[in-house]
Amino acid sequence: MIAFKTVKYHIERESALNSKLPHVGTSIFSTMTGLANQYQAINLSQGFPEFDAPERLKATLNQTVGQGMNQYSPSAGIAPLQQQIGALVERKYGLKIDAAQAVTVTSGATEALFVAISAIVQAGDEVIVFDPAYDSYEPAIHLAGGIAVPMALRAPHYAIDWPLLEQAVSDKTRAIIINTPHNPSARVLSKADIEALKGIVIKHDLLLISDEVYEHITFDGNTHHSVLGEKALFERAFVVSSFGKTFHCTGWKMGYCVAPPKLTAEFRKIHQYVTFSSFTPAQFAIADMLENEPEHIDELGAFYQRKRDLLVNALASSRFTCLPSEGTYFLLLDYRRLSDLSDVEFCEYLVKEVGVAAIPLSVFYHTPNDDKVIRLCFAKEDATLLSAAEKLCQL
Ligand SMILES: Cc1ncc(COP(=O)(O)O)c(C=O)c1O
């Protein structure tokens, strides 16, 4: 009798379920990794490091757990980590902040982005997002009742047409989301881009969410122009970063948001109900790394530039065209000399027949588009990159 009642209840509940994200299915990243495992292909699709986190970071995490620091932290993060983030912001971008009022530690950049969007987007608000973009922005805008307005960036340069962007600003526009260094294009916004952005944001009284998770990974002398380095922009911005990218520990899901106190107050109201606080032992370990091994961050650009160069050189005799990679740990390849297949079909062929998993660029687009470009992640061991390149050169 009780069992019957339970089944009936589930049926009624299911028919009442109206998906809030009806178009969202399994992500291409899970699909490609699944195929890479099934076909034993080299996986350059998903964006995570193959190598381990620094020894000091792991040792301090173990010690912290051993010492019993295993309970909730303050919702905004432990004070030593907030202060180290404040010191990093000052050292890198010359901005002095009151860390207690401006820094919130989050469970990855993904949480910070979700919370920032939830904090400012009201029903009917428009948010300008670049197209292609990291896949978490649009669903978060949609869940907040807002509308994502895509601004197309096209191969091979993925340059921003600022006058066109300004035309997309309406009386409903609430914010712009930028991402530099940019995933998936691997381009870095220039000083001129930041100036153009500043003009538009101030003129139209907009808010800004700046996703800077690859802030320490730029190449060939390309400087990362952070919104934290532009006081007039920072006054109206949430700047988001990720320790997962910086310390090769994506699985820890540790990130943070820096914003002026007024915006931070709204951010924290939501953060406390999304997760309340983030993994306490990792906060101590990261604070220790920032204080005692700052060279890790300072050497990160050179570390990844060497890997990028290794892969680009190993692909030199291939029929792919490597597009410029100025930052992040991604390299885009144009394959139009090799195939007329769509980028999704081409990636399926690569993983099944060639033994290399990549991501088709079209999946990052809101508006359908196929420039015959695929994305490779080079945060991998040298031997992995060389084996993948050898396979790709055979095409
Ligand atoms: C542009 C961008 N933003 C945010 C994230 C998410 O970072 P986290 O793993 O810290 O949530 C990623 C991860 O791939 C990313 O590429």
Side-chain angles (χ1 to χ4, degrees):
M1 196 60 186
I2 291 169
F4 171 75
K5 266 193 180 158
T6 313
V7 169
K8 186 160 177 276
Y9 174 78
H10 278 300
I11 291 168
E12 277 169 6
R13 292 303 299 162
E14 250 173 50
S15 61
L17 181 65
N18 191 0
S19 174
K20 296 189 95 173
L21 296 172
H23 305 298
V24 173
T26 311
S27 84
I28 185 82
F29 305 101
S30 309
T31 307
M32 272 302 160
T33 294
L35 285 174
N37 293 337
Q38 187 184 341
Y39 290 90
Q40 291 178 352
I42 300 171
N43 190 359
L44 302 190
S45 63
Q46 239 170 332
F48 59 84
E50 189 180 18
F51 28 85
D52 207 355
E55 287 307 319
R56 183 180 183 108
L57 185 69
K58 293 191 295 179
T60 320
L61 181 85
N62 282 335
Q63 267 170 27
T64 313
V65 170
Q67 286 162 0
M69 316 285 221
N70 296 311
Q71 308 310 327
Y72 296 131
S73 72
S75 180
I78 61 165
L81 180 54
Q82 288 178 303
Q83 275 149 23
Q84 286 304 324
I85 294 168
L88 180 67
V89 165
E90 188 172 351
R91 176 163 80 87
K92 288 281 171 186
Y93 311 117
L95 179 72
K96 257 189 185 323
I97 50 171
D98 175 356
Q101 303 291 317
V103 175
T104 309
V105 177
T106 59
S107 299
T110 308
E111 192 233 332
L113 291 161
F114 189 88
V115 171
I117 290 167
S118 306
I120 59 169
V121 176
Q122 313 262 359
D125 282 351
E126 292 178 0
V127 181
I128 296 177
V129 290
F130 292 103
D131 200 22
Y134 181 61
D135 61 354
S136 83
Y137 310 152
E138 203 270 336
I141 295 166
H142 183 76
L143 288 173
I147 299 151
V149 177
M151 276 302 306
L153 308 179
R154 300 301 295 266
H157 299 298
Y158 300 93
I160 299 172
D161 183 335
W162 292 104
L164 195 66
L165 183 141
E166 189 165 12
Q167 283 174 29
V169 175
S170 78
D171 55 1
K172 294 198 183 117
T173 307
R174 179 83 174 131
I176 302 179
I177 302 182
I178 64 162
N179 168 217
T180 183
H182 183 257
N183 175 17
S185 77
R187 302 306 299 256
V188 172
L189 291 189
S190 65
K191 182 81 181 143
D193 284 316
I194 296 290
E195 284 302 317
L197 172 72
K198 189 162 72 181
I200 294 171
V201 163
I202 292 172
K203 179 172 161 196
H204 298 279
D205 192 21
L206 305 177
L207 292 167
L208 183 65
I209 297 176
S210 186
D211 178 348
E212 303 186 11
V213 299
Y214 301 101
E215 63 181 317
H216 306 300
I217 311 177
T218 58
F219 314 132
D220 311 319
N222 278 295
T223 308
H224 168 59
H225 295 288
S226 175
V227 164
L228 294 165
E230 285 291 332
K231 214 162 178 300
L233 273 182
F234 175 63
E235 276 167 10
R236 43 182 75 233
F238 298 88
V239 181
V240 171
S241 194
S242 169
F243 293 118
K245 310 292 177 187
T246 300
F247 292 125
H248 316 319
C249 58
T250 55
W252 291 15
K253 291 301 291 186
M254 294 296 296
Y256 60 92
C257 175
V258 186
K262 251 187 162 169
L263 294 181
T264 294
E266 291 307 311
F267 182 96
R268 288 181 183 171
K269 284 181 193 172
I270 298 179
H271 164 73
Q272 70 179 326
Y273 294 126
V274 172
T275 182
F276 186 73
S277 61
S278 300
F279 185 38
T280 305
Q283 295 189 51
F284 283 102
I286 291 168
D288 170 79
M289 271 302 282
L290 290 173
E291 185 177 2
N292 296 306
E293 217 171 286
E295 62 276 16
H296 175 91
I297 286 182
D298 297 336
E299 289 162 5
L300 205 56
F303 172 82
Y304 276 118
Q305 183 171 326
R306 196 192 60 76
K307 290 203 175 282
R308 181 206 59 178
D309 291 346
L310 185 83
L311 182 59
V312 169
N313 290 335
L315 288 169
S317 63
S318 79
R319 292 166 66 213
F320 290 95
T321 306
C322 296
L323 302 189
S325 170
E326 298 172 341
T328 73
Y329 43 53
F330 302 113
L331 175 69
L332 299 189
L333 303 183
D334 177 320
Y335 64 86
R336 70 187 64 221
R337 284 197 288 170
L338 276 148
S339 169
D340 291 331
L341 291 174
S342 74
D343 62 358
V344 174
E345 290 165 337
F346 187 69
C347 283
E348 259 177 52
Y349 160 75
L350 278 186
V351 72
K352 291 181 183 168
E353 309 289 335
V354 183
V356 177
I359 298 286
L361 248 267
S362 63
V363 303
F364 293 94
Y365 278 89
H366 192 267
T367 316
N369 162 57
D370 181 2
D371 283 327
K372 309 261 177 267
V373 173
I374 61 172
R375 190 196 78 176
L376 302 183
C377 170
F378 55 80
K380 307 294 166 191
E381 299 290 1
D382 292 0
T384 306
L385 296 173
L386 292 175
S387 308
E390 197 183 324
K391 287 176 186 288
L392 294 172
C393 283
Q394 282 162 12
L395 284 172

